[in-house]
Coordinates of all heavy atoms in Angstrom, one line a residue:
M757 N 189.4 169.4 54.2 CA 189.0 170.5 53.3 C 190.0 170.7 52.2 O 189.9 171.7 51.5 CB 188.9 171.8 54.2 CG 187.7 171.8 55.2 SD 186.1 171.7 54.4 CE 185.8 173.4 53.9
K758 N 190.9 169.9 52.0 CA 191.9 170.1 51.0 C 191.6 169.3 49.7 O 192.3 169.4 48.7 CB 193.3 169.7 51.5 CG 193.9 170.7 52.5 CD 194.4 171.9 51.8 CE 194.9 173.0 52.8 NZ 195.0 174.3 52.2
K759 N 190.6 168.4 49.8 CA 190.4 167.5 48.6 C 190.0 168.2 47.3 O 190.2 167.7 46.3 CB 189.2 166.6 49.0 CG 187.9 167.3 49.1 CD 186.8 166.3 49.5 CE 185.5 167.1 49.7 NZ 184.5 166.2 50.3
E760 N 189.7 169.5 47.4 CA 189.3 170.3 46.2 C 190.5 170.4 45.2 O 190.3 170.5 44.0 CB 188.8 171.7 46.6 CG 189.9 172.5 47.3 CD 189.2 173.7 48.0 OE1 188.0 173.7 48.2 OE2 190.0 174.7 48.2
N761 N 191.7 170.2 45.7 CA 192.9 170.4 44.8 C 193.4 169.1 44.2 O 194.3 169.0 43.5 CB 194.0 171.1 45.5 CG 193.6 172.5 45.9 OD1 192.9 173.2 45.1 ND2 194.1 173.0 47.0
L762 N 192.7 168.0 44.6 CA 193.2 166.7 44.2 C 193.3 166.4 42.7 O 194.2 166.0 42.2 CB 192.4 165.6 44.9 CG 192.9 165.1 46.3 CD1 192.1 164.0 46.8 CD2 194.4 164.8 46.2
N763 N 192.2 166.7 42.0 CA 192.1 166.3 40.6 C 191.7 167.4 39.6 O 191.3 167.1 38.5 CB 191.2 165.1 40.4 CG 189.9 165.3 41.1 OD1 189.5 166.4 41.3 ND2 189.1 164.2 41.3
S764 N 191.9 168.6 40.1 CA 191.5 169.7 39.1 C 192.3 170.9 39.4 O 192.6 171.3 40.5 CB 190.0 170.0 39.1 OG 189.7 170.4 40.4
A765 N 192.7 171.6 38.3 CA 193.3 172.9 38.5 C 192.4 173.9 39.1 O 191.2 173.7 39.0 CB 193.8 173.4 37.1
P766 N 192.9 174.9 39.7 CA 192.0 176.0 40.3 C 191.1 176.6 39.2 O 191.5 176.7 38.0 CB 193.0 177.0 40.8 CG 194.3 176.3 40.9 CD 194.3 175.2 39.9
W767 N 189.9 177.0 39.6 CA 189.0 177.6 38.6 C 189.4 179.0 38.4 O 189.7 179.7 39.4 CB 187.6 177.5 39.2 CG 187.0 176.1 39.3 CD1 187.4 175.2 40.2 CD2 186.0 175.6 38.5 NE1 186.6 174.0 39.9 CE2 185.8 174.3 38.9 CE3 185.2 176.1 37.4 CZ2 184.8 173.4 38.4 CZ3 184.2 175.3 36.9 CH2 184.0 173.9 37.3
T768 N 189.3 179.5 37.2 CA 189.5 180.9 37.0 C 188.2 181.6 37.2 O 187.1 181.0 37.3 CB 189.9 181.2 35.5 OG1 188.8 180.8 34.7 CG2 191.1 180.4 35.1
E769 N 188.3 182.9 37.4 CA 187.1 183.7 37.6 C 186.1 183.6 36.5 O 184.9 183.5 36.7 CB 187.4 185.2 37.9 CG 188.1 185.5 39.2 CD 187.3 185.0 40.4 OE1 186.1 185.3 40.5 OE2 187.9 184.3 41.3
K770 N 186.6 183.5 35.3 CA 185.8 183.3 34.1 C 185.1 182.0 34.1 O 183.9 181.9 33.8 CB 186.7 183.4 32.8 CG 185.9 183.8 31.6 CD 186.9 183.9 30.4 CE 186.2 183.5 29.1 NZ 187.2 183.2 28.0
E771 N 185.8 180.9 34.5 CA 185.1 179.6 34.6 C 184.1 179.6 35.7 O 183.0 179.0 35.5 CB 186.2 178.6 34.9 CG 187.1 178.2 33.7 CD 188.1 177.2 34.0 OE1 188.8 177.4 35.1 OE2 188.3 176.2 33.3
K772 N 184.4 180.3 36.8 CA 183.4 180.3 37.9 C 182.1 181.0 37.4 O 181.0 180.5 37.7 CB 184.0 181.0 39.1 CG 185.0 180.3 39.9 CD 185.4 181.1 41.1 CE 186.8 180.8 41.5 NZ 187.3 181.7 42.5
A773 N 182.3 182.1 36.7 CA 181.1 182.8 36.2 C 180.3 182.0 35.3 O 179.1 182.0 35.3 CB 181.6 184.2 35.6
E774 N 181.0 181.3 34.4 CA 180.4 180.4 33.4 C 179.7 179.3 34.1 O 178.5 178.9 33.8 CB 181.4 179.9 32.4 CG 180.8 179.1 31.2 CD 180.0 180.0 30.3 OE1 179.8 181.2 30.5 OE2 179.4 179.4 29.3
L775 N 180.3 178.7 35.1 CA 179.7 177.6 35.9 C 178.4 178.1 36.5 O 177.4 177.5 36.4 CB 180.7 177.1 37.0 CG 180.1 176.3 38.1 CD1 179.5 175.0 37.5 CD2 181.1 175.9 39.1
A776 N 178.5 179.3 37.2 CA 177.3 179.8 37.8 C 176.2 180.1 36.8 O 175.0 179.8 37.1 CB 177.7 181.1 38.6
R777 N 176.6 180.6 35.7 CA 175.5 181.0 34.7 C 174.8 179.7 34.2 O 173.6 179.7 34.2 CB 176.2 181.7 33.5 CG 175.3 182.3 32.5 CD 176.1 183.0 31.4 NE 176.7 182.1 30.5 CZ 176.1 181.5 29.5 NH1 174.8 181.7 29.3 NH2 176.8 180.6 28.7
L778 N 175.6 178.7 33.9 CA 175.0 177.5 33.4 C 174.2 176.7 34.5 O 173.1 176.3 34.2 CB 176.1 176.5 32.8 CG 176.9 177.0 31.6 CD1 178.0 176.1 31.3 CD2 175.9 177.1 30.4
W779 N 174.8 176.7 35.6 CA 174.1 176.1 36.8 C 172.8 176.7 37.1 O 171.8 176.0 37.3 CB 175.0 176.2 38.0 CG 174.6 175.5 39.2 CD1 173.7 175.9 40.2 CD2 174.9 174.1 39.6 NE1 173.5 175.0 41.1 CE2 174.2 173.8 40.8 CE3 175.7 173.1 39.1 CZ2 174.3 172.6 41.5 CZ3 175.9 171.9 39.7 CH2 175.2 171.7 40.9
L780 N 172.7 178.0 37.1 CA 171.5 178.8 37.4 C 170.5 178.7 36.3 O 169.3 178.9 36.5 CB 171.8 180.2 37.8 CG 172.6 180.4 39.0 CD1 173.0 181.9 39.3 CD2 171.9 179.8 40.3
M781 N 170.9 178.3 35.1 CA 170.0 178.0 34.0 C 169.5 176.6 34.1 O 168.8 176.1 33.3 CB 170.7 178.2 32.6 CG 170.9 179.7 32.3 SD 172.0 179.9 30.9 CE 171.1 179.1 29.6
Q782 N 169.9 175.9 35.1 CA 169.5 174.5 35.4 C 170.0 173.5 34.3 O 169.3 172.6 33.9 CB 168.0 174.4 35.7 CG 167.7 175.1 37.0 CD 166.2 175.1 37.3 OE1 165.5 175.8 36.6 NE2 165.8 174.4 38.3
I783 N 171.1 173.9 33.7 CA 171.7 173.0 32.7 C 172.3 171.7 33.4 O 172.9 171.9 34.5 CB 172.9 173.7 32.0 CG1 172.5 175.0 31.4 CG2 173.6 172.8 31.0 CD1 171.6 174.9 30.2
P784 N 172.0 170.5 32.9 CA 172.5 169.3 33.6 C 174.0 169.3 33.8 O 174.8 169.8 33.0 CB 172.1 168.2 32.6 CG 171.0 168.7 31.8 CD 171.3 170.2 31.7
V785 N 174.4 168.8 35.0 CA 175.8 168.8 35.4 C 176.7 168.2 34.3 O 177.8 168.7 34.0 CB 176.0 168.0 36.7 CG1 177.5 167.7 36.9 CG2 175.4 168.8 37.8
R786 N 176.2 167.1 33.7 CA 177.0 166.4 32.6 C 177.3 167.4 31.4 O 178.4 167.4 30.9 CB 176.1 165.3 32.1 CG 176.8 164.4 31.0 CD 175.8 163.2 30.8 NE 174.4 163.6 30.5 CZ 174.0 164.0 29.3 NH1 174.9 164.0 28.3 NH2 172.8 164.4 29.1
I787 N 176.4 168.2 31.1 CA 176.6 169.2 30.0 C 177.5 170.3 30.4 O 178.4 170.7 29.7 CB 175.2 169.8 29.6 CG1 174.2 168.7 29.3 CG2 175.4 170.7 28.3 CD1 174.5 167.9 28.1
I788 N 177.3 170.8 31.6 CA 178.2 171.8 32.1 C 179.7 171.3 32.1 O 180.6 172.0 31.8 CB 177.8 172.3 33.6 CG1 176.4 172.8 33.6 CG2 178.8 173.3 34.1 CD1 175.9 173.2 35.0
A789 N 179.8 170.0 32.6 CA 181.1 169.4 32.7 C 181.8 169.4 31.3 O 183.0 169.7 31.1 CB 181.0 168.0 33.2
E790 N 181.0 169.1 30.3 CA 181.5 169.0 28.9 C 181.9 170.4 28.4 O 183.0 170.6 27.8 CB 180.4 168.5 27.9 CG 180.4 167.0 27.9 CD 179.2 166.5 27.0 OE1 178.7 167.3 26.2 OE2 178.8 165.3 27.3
Q791 N 181.1 171.4 28.7 CA 181.3 172.8 28.3 C 182.6 173.3 28.9 O 183.4 174.0 28.3 CB 180.2 173.7 28.8 CG 178.9 173.5 28.1 CD 178.8 174.4 26.8 OE1 179.2 175.5 26.9 NE2 178.2 173.9 25.8
L792 N 182.8 173.0 30.2 CA 184.0 173.6 30.9 C 185.2 172.6 30.9 O 186.2 172.9 31.4 CB 183.6 173.9 32.4 CG 182.5 174.9 32.5 CD1 182.1 175.1 34.0 CD2 183.0 176.3 32.0
Q793 N 185.0 171.5 30.3 CA 186.0 170.5 30.2 C 186.5 170.1 31.6 O 187.7 170.1 31.9 CB 187.1 170.9 29.3 CG 186.6 171.1 27.9 CD 187.7 171.5 26.9 OE1 188.6 172.2 27.2 NE2 187.6 171.0 25.7
R794 N 185.6 169.9 32.5 CA 185.9 169.4 33.8 C 185.1 168.1 34.1 O 184.2 167.8 33.3 CB 185.4 170.5 34.9 CG 186.0 171.8 34.7 CD 187.2 171.9 35.7 NE 187.8 173.2 35.5 CZ 188.9 173.6 36.2 NH1 189.4 172.8 37.1 NH2 189.5 174.7 36.0
S795 N 185.4 167.4 35.1 CA 184.7 166.2 35.4 C 183.4 166.7 36.1 O 183.3 167.7 36.7 CB 185.5 165.3 36.4 OG 185.6 165.9 37.6
P796 N 182.3 165.8 36.0 CA 181.0 166.2 36.7 C 181.2 166.4 38.2 O 180.6 167.3 38.7 CB 180.2 165.0 36.4 CG 180.7 164.4 35.1 CD 182.2 164.6 35.2
S797 N 182.1 165.6 38.8 CA 182.3 165.9 40.2 C 183.0 167.2 40.5 O 182.8 167.8 41.5 CB 183.1 164.7 40.9 OG 184.4 164.6 40.4
A798 N 183.9 167.6 39.6 CA 184.5 168.9 39.8 C 183.5 170.0 39.6 O 183.6 171.1 40.3 CB 185.6 169.1 38.7
V799 N 182.5 169.8 38.7 CA 181.5 170.8 38.5 C 180.6 170.9 39.8 O 180.3 172.0 40.3 CB 180.6 170.4 37.3 CG1 179.3 171.3 37.3 CG2 181.3 170.6 36.0
V800 N 180.3 169.8 40.4 CA 179.5 169.8 41.6 C 180.2 170.4 42.7 O 179.6 171.3 43.4 CB 179.0 168.4 41.9 CG1 178.4 168.3 43.3 CG2 178.1 167.8 40.9
S801 N 181.5 170.1 42.9 CA 182.2 170.7 44.0 C 182.5 172.2 43.8 O 182.5 173.0 44.7 CB 183.5 169.9 44.3 OG 184.4 170.1 43.3
G802 N 182.7 172.5 42.5 CA 182.8 174.0 42.2 C 181.6 174.7 42.5 O 181.6 175.8 43.1
A803 N 180.4 174.2 42.2 CA 179.1 174.8 42.5 C 179.0 174.9 44.0 O 178.5 175.9 44.5 CB 178.0 174.0 41.9
W804 N 179.4 173.9 44.7 CA 179.3 173.9 46.2 C 180.1 175.0 46.8 O 179.7 175.7 47.7 CB 179.7 172.5 46.7 CG 179.6 172.4 48.2 CD1 178.5 172.2 48.9 CD2 180.7 172.5 49.1 NE1 178.8 172.1 50.2 CE2 180.1 172.3 50.4 CE3 182.1 172.7 49.0 CZ2 180.9 172.3 51.5 CZ3 182.8 172.7 50.1 CH2 182.3 172.5 51.4
R805 N 181.3 175.2 46.2 CA 182.2 176.2 46.8 C 181.7 177.6 46.5 O 182.0 178.5 47.2 CB 183.7 176.0 46.2 CG 184.5 175.2 47.2 CD 185.8 174.9 46.6 NE 185.7 174.1 45.4 CZ 186.6 174.1 44.4 NH1 187.7 174.8 44.5 NH2 186.4 173.3 43.4
L806 N 181.0 177.8 45.4 CA 180.5 179.1 45.0 C 179.1 179.3 45.8 O 178.5 180.3 45.6 CB 180.2 179.2 43.5 CG 181.4 179.3 42.7 CD1 181.0 179.2 41.2 CD2 182.1 180.6 42.9
Q807 N 178.7 178.3 46.6 CA 177.5 178.4 47.4 C 176.3 178.5 46.4 O 175.3 179.2 46.8 CB 177.5 179.6 48.3 CG 178.6 179.4 49.4 CD 178.7 180.7 50.3 OE1 177.7 181.3 50.7 NE2 179.9 181.0 50.7
L808 N 176.4 177.9 45.3 CA 175.2 177.9 44.4 C 174.2 177.0 45.0 O 174.5 176.0 45.7 CB 175.6 177.3 43.0 CG 176.6 178.2 42.2 CD1 177.1 177.5 41.0 CD2 175.9 179.5 41.8
P809 N 172.9 177.3 44.8 CA 171.8 176.5 45.4 C 171.7 175.2 44.7 O 172.3 175.0 43.6 CB 170.6 177.3 45.1 CG 170.9 178.1 43.9 CD 172.4 178.4 44.0
R810 N 171.1 174.2 45.3 CA 170.8 173.0 44.6 C 170.0 173.3 43.3 O 169.2 174.2 43.4 CB 170.0 172.0 45.4 CG 170.8 171.2 46.4 CD 170.0 170.4 47.4 NE 168.7 170.0 46.8 CZ 167.7 169.5 47.5 NH1 167.8 169.4 48.8 NH2 166.6 169.1 46.9
Q811 N 170.2 172.6 42.2 CA 169.6 173.0 41.0 C 168.1 172.9 41.1 O 167.4 173.7 40.4 CB 170.1 172.1 39.8 CG 171.4 172.6 39.3 CD 171.8 172.0 38.0 OE1 171.7 170.8 37.8 NE2 172.3 172.8 37.1
D812 N 167.5 172.0 41.9 CA 166.0 172.0 42.0 C 165.5 173.1 42.9 O 164.3 173.3 43.0 CB 165.6 170.6 42.5 CG 166.2 170.2 43.8 OD1 167.0 171.0 44.3 OD2 165.9 169.1 44.3
E813 N 166.4 173.9 43.5 CA 166.0 175.0 44.3 C 166.3 176.4 43.7 O 166.1 177.4 44.3 CB 166.6 174.9 45.7 CG 166.1 173.8 46.5 CD 166.8 173.6 47.8 OE1 167.8 174.3 48.0 OE2 166.3 172.9 48.7
V814 N 166.9 176.3 42.5 CA 167.4 177.5 41.8 C 166.3 178.6 41.7 O 166.5 179.8 41.9 CB 167.9 177.2 40.4 CG1 168.0 178.5 39.5 CG2 169.3 176.6 40.6
S815 N 165.1 178.2 41.4 CA 164.0 179.1 41.1 C 163.4 179.8 42.3 O 162.6 180.7 42.2 CB 162.9 178.5 40.3 OG 162.5 177.3 41.0
L816 N 163.8 179.3 43.5 CA 163.2 179.8 44.7 C 163.7 181.2 45.1 O 163.0 182.0 45.7 CB 163.5 178.9 45.9 CG 162.9 177.5 45.8 CD1 163.3 176.7 47.1 CD2 161.4 177.6 45.7
H817 N 164.9 181.6 44.6 CA 165.5 182.9 45.0 C 166.1 183.5 43.7 O 166.3 182.8 42.8 CB 166.6 182.8 46.0 CG 166.2 182.1 47.3 ND1 165.5 182.8 48.3 CD2 166.3 180.8 47.7 CE1 165.2 181.9 49.2 NE2 165.7 180.7 48.9
Q818 N 166.3 184.7 43.8 CA 167.1 185.3 42.7 C 168.6 185.3 43.1 O 169.0 185.9 44.1 CB 166.6 186.8 42.5 CG 166.9 187.2 41.1 CD 166.7 188.7 40.9 OE1 166.3 189.4 41.8 NE2 167.0 189.1 39.7
H819 N 169.3 184.5 42.3 CA 170.7 184.4 42.7 C 171.6 185.2 41.8 O 171.3 185.3 40.6 CB 171.1 182.9 42.6 CG 170.4 182.1 43.6 ND1 170.7 182.0 44.9 CD2 169.3 181.3 43.5 CE1 169.9 181.2 45.6 NE2 169.0 180.8 44.8
L820 N 172.7 185.6 42.3 CA 173.7 186.4 41.6 C 175.1 186.1 42.1 O 175.3 185.9 43.3 CB 173.3 187.8 41.9 CG 173.9 188.9 41.0 CD1 173.3 188.7 39.6 CD2 173.4 190.3 41.5
L821 N 176.0 186.0 41.2 CA 177.4 185.7 41.6 C 178.0 187.1 42.0 O 178.0 188.0 41.2 CB 178.2 185.1 40.5 CG 179.4 184.3 40.9 CD1 179.0 183.1 41.8 CD2 180.1 183.8 39.7
R822 N 178.5 187.2 43.3 CA 179.1 188.4 43.7 C 180.5 188.1 44.3 O 180.8 187.0 44.6 CB 178.3 189.0 44.9 CG 176.9 189.5 44.6 CD 176.3 190.0 45.8 NE 174.8 190.4 45.6 CZ 174.5 191.5 45.2 NH1 175.3 192.5 44.9 NH2 173.2 191.8 45.0
S823 N 181.2 189.2 44.5 CA 182.5 189.1 45.2 C 182.2 189.4 46.7 O 181.6 190.3 47.0 CB 183.5 190.0 44.7 OG 183.8 189.8 43.3
C824 N 182.7 188.5 47.5 CA 182.6 188.8 49.0 C 183.3 190.1 49.4 O 184.4 190.4 48.9 CB 183.2 187.6 49.7 SG 183.3 187.9 51.5
L825 N 182.6 190.8 50.2 CA 183.2 192.1 50.6 C 184.4 191.9 51.5 O 185.3 192.8 51.6 CB 182.1 192.9 51.4 CG 181.0 193.5 50.6 CD1 180.1 194.3 51.6 CD2 181.5 194.5 49.6
K826 N 184.5 190.8 52.1 CA 185.7 190.6 53.0 C 186.9 189.9 52.3 O 188.0 190.4 52.4 CB 185.3 189.7 54.2 CG 184.4 190.5 55.1 CD 184.1 189.8 56.4 CE 183.3 190.6 57.4 NZ 184.0 191.8 57.8
C827 N 186.6 188.7 51.6 CA 187.7 188.0 51.1 C 187.8 188.1 49.6 O 188.8 187.6 49.0 CB 187.6 186.5 51.5 SG 186.2 185.7 50.8
Q828 N 186.9 188.8 48.9 CA 186.9 189.0 47.5 C 186.6 187.8 46.6 O 186.7 187.9 45.4 CB 188.2 189.7 47.0 CG 188.8 190.7 47.9 CD 187.9 192.0 48.0 OE1 187.3 192.4 47.0 NE2 187.8 192.5 49.1
K829 N 186.4 186.7 47.3 CA 186.1 185.5 46.5 C 184.7 185.5 45.9 O 183.8 186.0 46.6 CB 186.3 184.2 47.3 CG 187.7 183.9 47.6 CD 187.8 182.6 48.5 CE 189.2 182.3 48.9 NZ 189.3 181.6 50.1
S830 N 184.5 184.9 44.7 CA 183.2 184.8 44.2 C 182.3 183.9 45.0 O 182.8 182.8 45.4 CB 183.2 184.3 42.7 OG 184.0 185.3 42.0
F831 N 181.1 184.2 45.2 CA 180.1 183.3 45.8 C 178.7 183.6 45.3 O 178.5 184.7 44.8 CB 180.2 183.3 47.3 CG 179.5 184.6 48.0 CD1 178.3 184.4 48.6 CD2 180.1 185.8 47.8 CE1 177.7 185.5 49.2 CE2 179.5 186.9 48.4 CZ 178.3 186.8 49.0
C832 N 177.8 182.7 45.5 CA 176.4 183.0 45.1 C 175.6 183.7 46.1 O 175.4 183.1 47.2 CB 175.8 181.7 44.7 SG 174.2 181.9 44.0
S833 N 175.3 184.9 45.8 CA 174.5 185.7 46.8 C 173.0 185.5 46.6 O 172.6 185.3 45.5 CB 174.8 187.2 46.5 OG 173.9 188.0 47.1
Q834 N 172.3 185.6 47.7 CA 170.8 185.4 47.5 C 170.1 186.7 47.5 O 168.9 186.7 47.6 CB 170.3 184.5 48.7 CG 170.8 183.1 48.6 CD 170.5 182.3 49.8 OE1 169.7 182.7 50.7 NE2 171.2 181.2 49.9
G835 N 170.8 187.8 47.4 CA 170.1 189.1 47.2 C 171.0 190.2 47.7 O 172.2 190.0 48.0
K836 N 170.5 191.4 47.6 CA 171.3 192.6 47.9 C 171.9 192.6 49.3 O 172.9 193.2 49.5 CB 170.4 193.9 47.7 CG 170.3 194.3 46.2 CD 169.6 195.6 46.1 CE 169.5 196.0 44.7 NZ 168.4 196.9 44.4
H837 N 171.1 192.0 50.2 CA 171.6 192.0 51.6 C 172.7 191.1 51.8 O 173.4 191.1 52.8 CB 170.4 191.6 52.5 CG 169.9 190.2 52.2 ND1 169.2 189.9 51.1 CD2 170.2 189.0 52.8 CE1 168.9 188.6 51.0 NE2 169.5 188.0 52.0
N838 N 173.0 190.2 50.9 CA 173.9 189.1 51.0 C 175.2 189.4 50.3 O 175.4 189.1 49.1 CB 173.3 187.8 50.5 CG 174.1 186.6 50.8 OD1 173.8 185.5 50.2 ND2 175.0 186.6 51.8
R839 N 176.2 190.1 51.0 CA 177.4 190.5 50.3 C 178.6 189.9 50.9 O 179.7 190.2 50.5 CB 177.5 192.0 50.4 CG 176.4 192.8 49.8 CD 176.3 192.6 48.3 NE 177.5 192.8 47.6 CZ 177.9 194.0 47.1 NH1 177.1 195.1 47.3 NH2 179.0 194.2 46.5
I840 N 178.5 189.0 51.9 CA 179.6 188.3 52.5 C 179.4 186.8 52.4 O 178.3 186.3 52.7 CB 179.7 188.8 54.0 CG1 180.0 190.3 54.0 CG2 180.8 188.0 54.7 CD1 180.0 190.9 55.3
C841 N 180.5 186.1 52.0 CA 180.3 184.7 51.9 C 180.2 184.0 53.2 O 180.5 184.5 54.2 CB 181.5 184.1 51.1 SG 183.0 184.1 52.0
D842 N 179.6 182.7 53.2 CA 179.4 182.0 54.4 C 180.7 181.8 55.2 O 180.6 182.0 56.4 CB 178.8 180.6 54.1 CG 177.3 180.8 53.8 OD1 176.7 181.9 54.1 OD2 176.6 179.8 53.4
P843 N 181.8 181.4 54.6 CA 183.0 181.2 55.4 C 183.4 182.5 56.2 O 183.8 182.4 57.3 CB 184.1 180.9 54.4 CG 183.3 180.3 53.3 CD 182.0 181.0 53.2
C844 N 183.2 183.6 55.6 CA 183.6 184.9 56.3 C 182.5 185.2 57.4 O 182.9 185.6 58.5 CB 183.6 186.1 55.3 SG 185.0 186.1 54.3
R845 N 181.3 184.9 57.1 CA 180.3 185.1 58.1 C 180.4 184.2 59.3 O 179.9 184.5 60.4 CB 178.9 185.0 57.5 CG 178.5 186.2 56.7 CD 177.0 186.3 56.6 NE 176.6 185.4 55.6 CZ 175.3 185.4 55.1 NH1 174.5 186.3 55.5 NH2 175.0 184.5 54.2
A846 N 181.0 183.0 59.0 CA 181.2 182.1 60.1 C 182.3 182.4 61.0 O 182.7 181.7 62.0 CB 181.4 180.7 59.5
H847 N 183.0 183.6 60.8 CA 184.1 184.0 61.6 C 183.8 185.4 62.3 O 184.4 186.4 61.9 CB 185.4 184.1 60.8 CG 185.9 182.8 60.4 ND1 185.6 182.1 59.3 CD2 186.8 181.9 61.0 CE1 186.2 181.0 59.2 NE2 186.9 180.8 60.2
P848 N 183.0 185.4 63.3 CA 182.6 186.6 63.9 C 183.8 187.4 64.5 O 183.8 188.6 64.5 CB 181.6 186.2 65.0 CG 181.8 184.8 65.2 CD 182.3 184.2 63.9
T849 N 184.8 186.6 65.0 CA 185.9 187.3 65.6 C 186.7 188.1 64.5 O 187.0 189.3 64.8 CB 186.9 186.2 66.1 OG1 186.2 185.2 66.8 CG2 187.9 186.9 67.0
R850 N 186.8 187.5 63.3 CA 187.5 188.2 62.3 C 186.7 189.5 61.9 O 187.3 190.5 61.7 CB 187.6 187.3 61.1 CG 188.7 187.8 60.1 CD 188.9 186.8 59.0 NE 188.9 187.4 57.7 CZ 188.9 186.8 56.6 NH1 188.8 185.5 56.6 NH2 188.9 187.4 55.5
S851 N 185.4 189.4 61.8 CA 184.7 190.6 61.4 C 184.7 191.7 62.5 O 184.7 192.8 62.2 CB 183.3 190.2 61.0 OG 182.5 189.8 62.1
M852 N 184.8 191.2 63.7 CA 184.9 192.2 64.8 C 186.2 192.9 64.7 O 186.3 194.1 64.9 CB 184.9 191.4 66.2 CG 183.7 191.9 67.1 SD 183.4 190.7 68.3 CE 184.8 190.7 69.3
L853 N 187.3 192.2 64.4 CA 188.6 192.8 64.2 C 188.6 193.8 63.1 O 189.1 194.9 63.2 CB 189.7 191.7 63.9 CG 190.1 190.9 65.1 CD1 191.1 189.8 64.7 CD2 190.8 191.8 66.1
D854 N 187.9 193.4 62.0 CA 187.8 194.3 60.8 C 187.1 195.6 61.3 O 187.6 196.7 60.9 CB 186.9 193.7 59.7 CG 187.7 192.6 59.0 OD1 188.9 192.5 59.2 OD2 187.1 191.9 58.2
H855 N 186.1 195.5 62.1 CA 185.4 196.7 62.6 C 186.3 197.6 63.4 O 186.3 198.8 63.3 CB 184.2 196.4 63.4 CG 183.0 196.0 62.5 ND1 182.4 196.8 61.6 CD2 182.4 194.8 62.4 CE1 181.5 196.2 61.0 NE2 181.4 195.0 61.4
I856 N 187.2 196.9 64.2 CA 188.1 197.7 65.1 C 189.1 198.4 64.2 O 189.4 199.6 64.4 CB 188.8 196.7 66.0 CG1 187.8 196.2 67.1 CG2 190.0 197.4 66.7 CD1 188.3 195.0 67.9
F857 N 189.6 197.8 63.1 CA 190.6 198.4 62.3 C 189.9 199.5 61.5 O 190.6 200.5 61.2 CB 191.2 197.4 61.4 CG 192.2 196.5 62.1 CD1 192.1 195.1 62.0 CD2 193.2 197.1 62.9 CE1 193.0 194.3 62.7 CE2 194.1 196.3 63.6 CZ 194.0 194.9 63.5
V858 N 188.7 199.3 61.1 CA 188.0 200.4 60.3 C 187.8 201.6 61.1 O 187.9 202.7 60.7 CB 186.7 199.8 59.7 CG1 185.8 201.0 59.2 CG2 187.0 198.8 58.6
A859 N 187.4 201.4 62.4 CA 187.0 202.5 63.3 C 188.2 203.3 63.8 O 189.1 203.6 63.2 CB 186.3 201.9 64.6
Ligands
ZN2018 ZN1 184.4 185.9 52.1

């Protein structure tokens, strides 16, 4: 899971937002890569980390880039109900602890 840092600097929030915007407009990866001055593979892995849908599935849902309620990282939400990113949702123990601390 560390390969993301191999050949590219971390994405800024602005770049992530721009990536999501272009991706959801179904702009070809090659063009997005040129716009953001990243490699096409960096664009694809960036999209993957933001949980953006496959480009041929973009129109199936209304997607929106949100900040996760738990870790504050940007991710692609599939709707109002979806406010927590997949990695956080995959940790039920952690969310249980959060509830204990909140209560
Ligand atoms: Zn999260």
